[in-house]
Amino acid sequence: MAATALLAALRERQLEEMVAIEAMYEATVIGTDEASADDQVSAGELGCTLRLPYRDEHAVLQVDLPADYPTVAPRLALSCPALSSTRLAAMKAELTALAAARACGDDGEVCVCELAAELEARLRSVEEEEKEAAEQYDGRSAQTREDVQRENAVVRIDHMNSAKPYVRSLEVWAAQYGLAGRLFYRASGQPGKREYTDILLLLAGEVDCVSSLLQRLRTEYVDVDSRGARCRERQATVLCRRAQQGSAAFSGWATTAYRTDDQLDALLDKLKLLHVGVGSSRFTSANKSL
């Protein structure tokens, strides 16, 4: 009886939240018609589909509420044709982490409204970032493209636990900002744990675009930690940023594995980016944390 009473109380909280969601957002709620005041526990699970505008499309968040929500987290699915798969996966990971944080056993908090607000804010932020990047790249009023200062940047990243999606994010960002990129790394041979180590990310392009990519590297979820949870980059160092004069203006994107410092030196020398010493002393005078 105690368990039945608890589920009835949880169901009541779920119904109240679904009413609020319908009032606040473009949402379709599933399951409320199956419930009655006298038999709420036996009704099917509740859920809702939220549609939030983004560009000329919609981001669609599907939320399914387990019977014991909010003592456990809701199940989420997110889709949006106007977002890249990398960006979409990062947003879903952020929402999933937020939902898990709110589900704290008997003290769990309802969180669907908070998830909707977080997604809405994240979409606005992405739209503003992309608009700003487009303006920087295409719409300068006081400068022609030939006048824009271009630079090379070298960034050291300590390790990548989940290398493939991390590298893909960097490649997508570089393309969005019109940057060329090279990624040099040691392969550890340990899937899922420090897959790449001693990584150098080389960027070539407009100064403002390099700054925008480095900002995203610092603030967005790009890797997973030792527990498998999504995380931001906290162990990256900008080794140098310098004007392209005298440096090779490489193009496109490529990744290359290396084994020894000598091999890395040869890769950097080919791009005219071997400077401030060699081996472990390289760039020491230019080190700057992200």
Side-chain angles (χ1 to χ4, degrees), residues 148-174:
V148 175
Q149 185 179 358
R150 303 177 69 83
E151 69 175 2
N152 289 115
V154 181
V155 181
R156 184 184 185 279
I157 300 172
D158 184 73
H159 66 274
M160 296 177 178
N161 287 323
S162 182
K164 186 175 180 180
Y166 193 150
V167 173
R168 178 57 179 161
S169 293
L170 294 175
E171 181 180 3
V172 169
W173 295 347

CSV table of all heavy atoms in Angstrom, one decimal, residues 148-174:
chain,number,residue,atom,x,y,z
A,148,VAL,N,42.2,41.3,-43.6
A,148,VAL,CA,42.0,40.6,-42.3
A,148,VAL,C,43.3,39.9,-41.9
A,148,VAL,O,43.9,39.2,-42.7
A,148,VAL,CB,40.9,39.6,-42.4
A,148,VAL,CG1,40.8,38.8,-41.2
A,148,VAL,CG2,39.6,40.3,-42.7
A,149,GLN,N,43.7,40.1,-40.7
A,149,GLN,CA,44.9,39.4,-40.2
A,149,GLN,C,44.7,37.9,-40.0
A,149,GLN,O,43.7,37.5,-39.5
A,149,GLN,CB,45.3,40.0,-38.8
A,149,GLN,CG,46.6,39.5,-38.3
A,149,GLN,CD,47.0,40.2,-37.0
A,149,GLN,OE1,46.3,41.0,-36.5
A,149,GLN,NE2,48.1,39.7,-36.4
A,150,ARG,N,45.7,37.2,-40.5
A,150,ARG,CA,45.6,35.7,-40.4
A,150,ARG,C,46.8,35.3,-39.6
A,150,ARG,O,47.8,35.9,-39.5
A,150,ARG,CB,45.7,35.1,-41.8
A,150,ARG,CG,44.6,35.6,-42.8
A,150,ARG,CD,44.8,35.0,-44.2
A,150,ARG,NE,44.5,33.6,-44.2
A,150,ARG,CZ,43.3,33.0,-44.3
A,150,ARG,NH1,42.2,33.8,-44.3
A,150,ARG,NH2,43.1,31.7,-44.3
A,151,GLU,N,46.5,34.1,-38.9
A,151,GLU,CA,47.6,33.6,-38.0
A,151,GLU,C,47.6,32.1,-38.0
A,151,GLU,O,46.7,31.4,-38.5
A,151,GLU,CB,47.3,34.1,-36.6
A,151,GLU,CG,46.1,33.5,-35.9
A,151,GLU,CD,45.9,34.0,-34.5
A,151,GLU,OE1,46.7,34.8,-34.0
A,151,GLU,OE2,45.0,33.5,-33.8
A,152,ASN,N,48.7,31.6,-37.4
A,152,ASN,CA,48.8,30.2,-37.0
A,152,ASN,C,48.7,30.1,-35.5
A,152,ASN,O,49.3,30.9,-34.8
A,152,ASN,CB,50.1,29.6,-37.5
A,152,ASN,CG,50.2,29.5,-39.0
A,152,ASN,OD1,51.0,30.1,-39.6
A,152,ASN,ND2,49.4,28.6,-39.6
A,153,ALA,N,48.0,29.1,-35.1
A,153,ALA,CA,48.0,28.8,-33.6
A,153,ALA,C,48.3,27.3,-33.4
A,153,ALA,O,48.0,26.4,-34.2
A,153,ALA,CB,46.6,29.0,-33.1
A,154,VAL,N,49.0,27.1,-32.3
A,154,VAL,CA,49.4,25.7,-31.9
A,154,VAL,C,48.9,25.5,-30.5
A,154,VAL,O,49.2,26.3,-29.6
A,154,VAL,CB,50.9,25.5,-32.0
A,154,VAL,CG1,51.2,24.0,-31.6
A,154,VAL,CG2,51.5,25.8,-33.4
A,155,VAL,N,48.1,24.4,-30.3
A,155,VAL,CA,47.4,24.1,-29.0
A,155,VAL,C,47.8,22.7,-28.6
A,155,VAL,O,47.7,21.8,-29.4
A,155,VAL,CB,45.9,24.2,-29.1
A,155,VAL,CG1,45.3,23.9,-27.8
A,155,VAL,CG2,45.5,25.6,-29.6
A,156,ARG,N,48.3,22.6,-27.4
A,156,ARG,CA,48.6,21.2,-26.9
A,156,ARG,C,47.5,20.7,-26.1
A,156,ARG,O,47.0,21.4,-25.2
A,156,ARG,CB,49.9,21.2,-26.0
A,156,ARG,CG,50.3,19.8,-25.6
A,156,ARG,CD,51.5,19.8,-24.6
A,156,ARG,NE,51.9,18.5,-24.3
A,156,ARG,CZ,51.3,17.7,-23.4
A,156,ARG,NH1,50.3,18.2,-22.7
A,156,ARG,NH2,51.7,16.5,-23.1
A,157,ILE,N,47.0,19.5,-26.4
A,157,ILE,CA,45.9,18.9,-25.6
A,157,ILE,C,46.5,17.6,-25.0
A,157,ILE,O,47.1,16.8,-25.7
A,157,ILE,CB,44.7,18.5,-26.6
A,157,ILE,CG1,44.2,19.8,-27.2
A,157,ILE,CG2,43.7,17.8,-25.8
A,157,ILE,CD1,43.1,19.5,-28.3
A,158,ASP,N,46.4,17.5,-23.7
A,158,ASP,CA,47.0,16.4,-22.9
A,158,ASP,C,46.6,15.0,-23.4
A,158,ASP,O,47.4,14.2,-23.7
A,158,ASP,CB,46.7,16.6,-21.4
A,158,ASP,CG,47.5,15.5,-20.6
A,158,ASP,OD1,48.7,15.7,-20.5
A,158,ASP,OD2,46.9,14.5,-20.2
A,159,HIS,N,45.3,14.8,-23.5
A,159,HIS,CA,44.8,13.5,-23.9
A,159,HIS,C,43.3,13.6,-24.4
A,159,HIS,O,42.6,14.6,-24.1
A,159,HIS,CB,44.9,12.5,-22.8
A,159,HIS,CG,44.0,12.8,-21.6
A,159,HIS,ND1,44.4,13.6,-20.6
A,159,HIS,CD2,42.7,12.4,-21.3
A,159,HIS,CE1,43.4,13.7,-19.7
A,159,HIS,NE2,42.4,13.0,-20.1
A,160,MET,N,42.9,12.6,-25.1
A,160,MET,CA,41.5,12.4,-25.5
A,160,MET,C,41.1,11.0,-25.1
A,160,MET,O,41.7,10.0,-25.5
A,160,MET,CB,41.3,12.6,-27.0
A,160,MET,CG,41.7,14.0,-27.5
A,160,MET,SD,41.5,14.0,-29.3
A,160,MET,CE,41.9,15.8,-29.7
A,161,ASN,N,40.1,10.9,-24.2
A,161,ASN,CA,39.6,9.6,-23.9
A,161,ASN,C,38.7,9.0,-25.0
A,161,ASN,O,38.8,7.8,-25.2
A,161,ASN,CB,38.7,9.7,-22.6
A,161,ASN,CG,39.6,9.9,-21.4
A,161,ASN,OD1,40.7,9.4,-21.3
A,161,ASN,ND2,39.2,10.7,-20.4
A,162,SER,N,37.9,9.8,-25.6
A,162,SER,CA,37.0,9.3,-26.7
A,162,SER,C,37.4,10.1,-27.9
A,162,SER,O,36.8,11.1,-28.2
A,162,SER,CB,35.5,9.6,-26.3
A,162,SER,OG,34.7,9.1,-27.3
A,163,ALA,N,38.4,9.6,-28.6
A,163,ALA,CA,39.1,10.4,-29.6
A,163,ALA,C,38.3,10.7,-30.8
A,163,ALA,O,38.3,11.8,-31.3
A,163,ALA,CB,40.4,9.7,-30.0
A,164,LYS,N,37.5,9.7,-31.3
A,164,LYS,CA,36.8,9.9,-32.6
A,164,LYS,C,35.8,11.1,-32.6
A,164,LYS,O,35.9,12.0,-33.4
A,164,LYS,CB,36.2,8.6,-33.0
A,164,LYS,CG,35.5,8.7,-34.4
A,164,LYS,CD,35.0,7.3,-34.8
A,164,LYS,CE,34.4,7.4,-36.3
A,164,LYS,NZ,33.9,6.1,-36.7
A,165,PRO,N,34.9,11.1,-31.6
A,165,PRO,CA,33.9,12.3,-31.6
A,165,PRO,C,34.6,13.6,-31.3
A,165,PRO,O,34.2,14.6,-31.8
A,165,PRO,CB,32.9,11.9,-30.5
A,165,PRO,CG,33.6,10.8,-29.7
A,165,PRO,CD,34.5,10.1,-30.6
A,166,TYR,N,35.7,13.5,-30.4
A,166,TYR,CA,36.4,14.8,-30.1
A,166,TYR,C,37.0,15.3,-31.3
A,166,TYR,O,36.9,16.5,-31.6
A,166,TYR,CB,37.5,14.4,-29.1
A,166,TYR,CG,38.1,15.6,-28.3
A,166,TYR,CD1,38.6,15.4,-27.0
A,166,TYR,CD2,38.3,16.8,-29.0
A,166,TYR,CE1,39.2,16.5,-26.4
A,166,TYR,CE2,38.9,17.9,-28.3
A,166,TYR,CZ,39.3,17.7,-27.0
A,166,TYR,OH,39.9,18.7,-26.4
A,167,VAL,N,37.7,14.5,-32.1
A,167,VAL,CA,38.4,15.0,-33.3
A,167,VAL,C,37.4,15.5,-34.3
A,167,VAL,O,37.6,16.5,-35.0
A,167,VAL,CB,39.3,13.9,-33.9
A,167,VAL,CG1,39.9,14.3,-35.3
A,167,VAL,CG2,40.4,13.6,-33.0
A,168,ARG,N,36.3,14.8,-34.4
A,168,ARG,CA,35.2,15.2,-35.4
A,168,ARG,C,34.7,16.6,-35.0
A,168,ARG,O,34.4,17.4,-35.9
A,168,ARG,CB,34.1,14.1,-35.3
A,168,ARG,CG,32.9,14.5,-36.2
A,168,ARG,CD,33.3,14.7,-37.7
A,168,ARG,NE,32.2,15.0,-38.5
A,168,ARG,CZ,32.3,15.5,-39.7
A,168,ARG,NH1,33.5,15.8,-40.2
A,168,ARG,NH2,31.2,15.8,-40.5
A,169,SER,N,34.5,16.8,-33.7
A,169,SER,CA,34.0,18.2,-33.3
A,169,SER,C,35.0,19.2,-33.7
A,169,SER,O,34.6,20.3,-34.3
A,169,SER,CB,33.9,18.2,-31.8
A,169,SER,OG,32.8,17.4,-31.3
A,170,LEU,N,36.3,19.0,-33.5
A,170,LEU,CA,37.3,20.0,-34.0
A,170,LEU,C,37.3,20.2,-35.5
A,170,LEU,O,37.4,21.3,-36.0
A,170,LEU,CB,38.7,19.5,-33.5
A,170,LEU,CG,39.0,19.4,-32.0
A,170,LEU,CD1,40.4,18.8,-31.8
A,170,LEU,CD2,38.9,20.8,-31.4
A,171,GLU,N,37.1,19.1,-36.2
A,171,GLU,CA,37.1,19.2,-37.7
A,171,GLU,C,35.9,20.0,-38.1
A,171,GLU,O,36.0,20.9,-39.0
A,171,GLU,CB,37.1,17.8,-38.3
A,171,GLU,CG,37.0,17.8,-39.8
A,171,GLU,CD,37.0,16.4,-40.4
A,171,GLU,OE1,36.9,15.5,-39.7
A,171,GLU,OE2,37.0,16.3,-41.7
A,172,VAL,N,34.7,19.8,-37.5
A,172,VAL,CA,33.5,20.5,-37.9
A,172,VAL,C,33.7,22.0,-37.5
A,172,VAL,O,33.3,22.9,-38.3
A,172,VAL,CB,32.3,19.9,-37.1
A,172,VAL,CG1,31.1,20.8,-37.3
A,172,VAL,CG2,32.0,18.5,-37.7
A,173,TRP,N,34.2,22.3,-36.4
A,173,TRP,CA,34.4,23.7,-36.0
A,173,TRP,C,35.3,24.4,-36.9
A,173,TRP,O,35.1,25.5,-37.3
A,173,TRP,CB,34.9,23.8,-34.5
A,173,TRP,CG,34.0,23.3,-33.5
A,173,TRP,CD1,32.7,23.0,-33.6
A,173,TRP,CD2,34.3,23.0,-32.1
A,173,TRP,NE1,32.1,22.5,-32.5
A,173,TRP,CE2,33.1,22.5,-31.5
A,173,TRP,CE3,35.5,23.1,-31.4
A,173,TRP,CZ2,33.1,22.2,-30.2
A,173,TRP,CZ3,35.4,22.7,-30.0
A,173,TRP,CH2,34.3,22.3,-29.4
A,174,ALA,N,36.4,23.7,-37.3
A,174,ALA,CA,37.4,24.4,-38.2
A,174,ALA,C,36.7,24.7,-39.5
A,174,ALA,O,36.9,25.8,-40.1
A,174,ALA,CB,38.6,23.4,-38.4
